Amino acid sequence: IADGDAARMGAVAHKLKSSSRAVGALQLGEICATLEEFGKSGAFAAIPVCMARLTAAMAEAQAHILDHRGQIGRSMQPGAGPNADADH
């Protein structure tokens, strides 16, 4: 963005859009789609607001990923399986 290369920004937004949608971060994917369109059209005036939304959506996606990783880690501990509370 700083160098004013709209095509490059659009390409980066496109890659992040695809990756975001692939992992279920749909809001992040939609923001990236908007940035991609801004890159194609050269609408740089609207980018700062969109970047603030992107930053917030990335933080939310990261929090979900870390929470999911924590859940997986806890489920991998001995005695934490689906039958952990069952009487043996």
Side-chain angles (χ1 to χ4, degrees), residues 5-46:
D5 187 346
R8 183 171 168 225
M9 186 196 71
V12 170
H14 176 78
K15 289 178 185 179
L16 184 56
K17 174 186 74 175
S18 299
S19 299
S20 299
R21 288 176 173 171
V23 298
L26 302 180
Q27 180 183 12
L28 182 57
E30 289 305 309
I31 295 166
C32 290
T34 302
L35 282 170
E36 181 181 12
E37 288 302 314
F38 288 163
K40 288 178 182 177
S41 68
F44 282 99

Side-chain angles (χ1 to χ4, degrees), residues 10-11 16 18 23 29 35 37 40 47 51-52 54-56 64-66 72 77 84-85 87:
L16 184 56
S18 299
V23 298
L35 282 170
E37 288 302 314
K40 288 178 182 177
I47 292 173
M51 289 302 295
L54 177 81
T55 301
H64 283 292
I65 290 167
L66 292 174
I72 290 172
Q77 294 176 356
D85 294 327
D87 291 328

Side-chain angles (χ1 to χ4, degrees), residues 44-88:
F44 282 99
I47 292 173
V49 171
C50 204
M51 289 302 295
R53 290 180 51 224
L54 177 81
T55 301
M58 286 184 72
E60 183 178 335
Q62 182 181 20
H64 283 292
I65 290 167
L66 292 174
D67 182 53
H68 183 70
R69 284 182 60 197
Q71 290 175 13
I72 290 172
R74 287 188 299 276
S75 70
M76 300 294 286
Q77 294 176 356
N83 298 319
D85 294 327
D87 291 328
H88 296 282

